[in-house]
Amino acid sequence: MKQTFVRRTAAPRSDSRPLVTPLQPSVVYTSDSPDMLDAQYDGDVPGFVYSREGHPNATGLARLIDGLEGAEGGIVVGSGMAAVTATMMGVLQQGDHVIGGNQLYGRSLRMLQEELPRMGVEVSLVDATDAADVARAIRPNTKLMLVEVVSNPTIRVADMSAILQICRDNNVLVAVDNTFTTPRGYRPFDHGADIIIHSVTKLLSGHSDAMLGYVAVRDAELRDRIETVTMTLGLTASPFDCWLAERGLYSFDLRYQRASENARLLADHLAGHPAVKRVLYPTRPDHPDHNRAVDILQDRGGNMLSFEIAGDRAQANAFVRACNNLPFAPTLGDIGTTISHPASSSHRALTPEARAQMGVSEGFFRLSIGVEDIQTLKTELTTGLDTTA
Ligand SMILES: *Cc1c(COP(=O)(O)O)cnc(C)c1O
């Protein structure tokens, strides 16, 4: 009989296995029987059921990042902000108080300032480079502090050991957003942090084509609470993005090494150009937090650097146009170098006075350094800077 329609059949059997992790976009999984499904839900036999609750590409990726962070049971979610959301919604309830660094990633700041207060959570923002400011903010109901080791775009280095000590003494959980530093620069669990957050979108994945987040939690009970929140709020990661990120992660160490070395050399190169007023790179001796940076990061200055040129928006426009091989794009962690201009992007909502207080002028640029040949980068940036002189 002629077959006029196609029905699903099981995938072909194979006793050999693919070298590459299979991409598994299936939203749902079949089980043999109600007994088997019951056993899966009870955790007695392994298996996935519905991809919002978990799927092989997310779990596989999570185990790889766990390895880098020295964590167990990390959870991969749909974006870095989903990881921040999962942390806040898993830990906090009405009446709690949360402390955040006042130079956190823009959307994290907005979550603290605009979303949590309407749910009855009290918020204080502090200068994370000043231990006394952190200590002063502690209240009896303080539950959590969210901190980034290196701030964006001002490259200030938080007083991590003091923060961890103060929070430990006061029974306050510390969540470290480790996106900028990466586990190559700093491993929060080695220093006593409770929660690690990543925007996997950035360096870990490394190719600006996958949007993902990760959260690891030291306490097993709290970890399960946060995982439940990710399922209930639907913070799920896409299998394809997980698959891309896994592929990117295999070259993370090489990319990090090369990009950091490039950044260190470029920081010195830029500092020597007459159009450059100042360069911010953690391991340079003229960095405002140099001693702490060396203490925390040793020689791992990372791939991010900021610098300031003289002049106003016109000079800024001229510089960006003249660097025409270096994409002008407000993100970081790509395999290639990108330039961003905080005054017109991440910090555009601030008043010029508020920006000036942070040192973010119209001539302030942030570079996310990639793996290109260092000589090419030096030449292209020099060409850009020469036009502004
Ligand atoms: C980009 C970023 C985030 C948000 O991550 P998304 O993947 O874009 O949601 C959070 N924290 C830091 C430090 C970031 O750079």
Side-chain angles (χ1 to χ4, degrees):
M1 209 172 69
K2 205 159 79 179
Q3 191 177 320
T4 57
F5 57 87
V6 177
R7 304 196 70 191
R8 290 190 188 279
T9 53
R13 263 210 55 152
S14 169
D15 282 348
S16 57
R17 292 177 304 275
L19 174 66
V20 173
T21 303
L23 169 61
Q24 302 197 49
S26 190
V27 161
V28 71
Y29 289 78
T30 64
S31 309
D32 291 346
S33 64
D35 271 353
M36 178 179 161
L37 187 58
D38 240 1
Q40 277 179 244
Y41 274 123
D42 286 344
D44 295 334
V45 299
F48 298 92
V49 178
Y50 189 61
S51 70
R52 178 167 27 72
E53 322 254 306
H55 55 77
N57 290 108
T59 302
L61 177 63
R63 295 296 80 79
L64 296 178
I65 303 175
D66 285 351
L68 289 175
E69 281 291 11
E72 269 175 44
I75 306 157
V76 163
V77 290
S79 68
M81 284 317 298
V84 178
T85 302
T87 301
M88 296 298 161
M89 299 302 279
V91 171
L92 299 170
Q93 60 187 34
Q94 187 176 17
D96 286 341
H97 173 238
V98 56
I99 302 174
N102 59 12
Q103 295 201 23
L104 288 173
Y105 180 71
R107 286 280 165 196
S108 298
L109 268 183
R110 286 180 70 162
M111 186 178 305
L112 295 186
Q113 290 179 297
E114 294 169 27
E115 307 304 335
L116 294 181
R118 59 188 185 83
M119 293 168 188
V121 172
E122 298 167 22
V123 174
S124 303
L125 298 180
V126 299
D127 177 354
T129 67
D130 179 357
D133 205 29
V134 176
R136 266 194 304 275
I138 302 272
R139 299 177 190 172
N141 57 339
T142 308
K143 198 71 171 281
L144 174 75
M145 172 155 186
L146 174 62
V147 63
E148 292 170 19
V149 182
V150 175
S151 73
N152 170 33
T154 53
I155 320 285
R156 295 299 304 263
V157 180
D159 192 345
M160 291 307 297
S161 54
I163 287 172
L164 287 160
Q165 187 64 49
I166 292 164
C167 288
R168 195 176 310 125
D169 292 347
N170 290 278
N171 251 326
V172 173
L173 296 169
V174 177
V176 177
D177 180 335
N178 206 28
T179 303
F180 251 59
T181 17
T182 83
R184 281 290 260 110
Y186 184 80
R187 295 217 315 178
F189 281 178
D190 293 351
H191 301 273
D194 301 284
I195 297 172
I196 303 171
I197 292 170
H198 275 287
S199 168
V200 180
T201 314
K202 313 290 172 50
L203 278 108
L204 293 181
S205 168
H207 296 72
S208 304
D209 52 11
M211 174 72 61
L212 290 170
Y214 165 91
V215 53
V217 187
R218 188 198 288 281
D219 179 79
E221 220 170 285
L222 183 59
R223 181 237 168 248
D224 290 350
R225 179 88 260 287
I226 288 178
E227 185 181 46
T228 301
V229 162
T230 67
M231 296 173 184
T232 306
L233 298 190
L235 306 177
T236 318
S238 136
F240 183 49
D241 286 40
C242 294
W243 186 86
L244 284 170
E246 179 179 330
R247 190 167 71 153
L249 203 58
Y250 293 127
S251 63
F252 162 67
D253 187 59
L254 290 173
R255 286 186 284 105
Y256 179 89
Q257 283 185 47
R258 173 68 169 255
S260 301
E261 174 71 358
N262 278 352
R264 185 178 65 76
L265 296 170
L266 272 180
D268 293 341
H269 177 74
L270 290 171
H273 194 285
V276 173
K277 283 164 58 177
R278 63 189 175 118
V279 172
L280 291 165
Y281 188 68
T283 56
R284 272 181 62 84
D286 61 358
H287 186 281
D289 307 313
H290 178 69
N291 290 341
R292 191 184 306 137
V294 170
D295 190 37
I296 293 178
L297 304 169
Q298 274 111 55
D299 57 348
R300 303 178 299 267
N303 76 314
M304 302 300 296
L305 74 90
S306 293
F307 66 98
E308 189 175 16
I309 59 173
D312 54 15
R313 180 64 69 88
Q315 273 76 33
N317 285 334
F319 169 68
V320 167
R321 290 203 182 101
C323 293
N324 59 1
N325 267 330
L326 299 174
F328 175 57
T331 187
L332 63 108
D334 188 64
I335 188 159
T337 299
T338 52
I339 304 180
S340 77
H341 181 247
S344 63
S345 55
S346 53
H347 292 63
R348 59 174 296 130
L350 300 182
T351 61
E353 295 73 42
R355 282 199 294 268
Q357 213 180 0
M358 297 176 65
V360 176
S361 66
E362 284 292 337
F364 190 93
F365 286 95
R366 187 194 74 185
L367 293 174
S368 170
I369 305 297
V371 303
E372 298 93 332
D373 169 60
I374 181 68
Q375 213 46 55
T376 307
L377 290 176
K378 282 183 181 175
T379 306
E380 288 177 358
L381 285 164
T382 302
T383 306
L385 289 170
D386 287 346
T387 63
T388 73

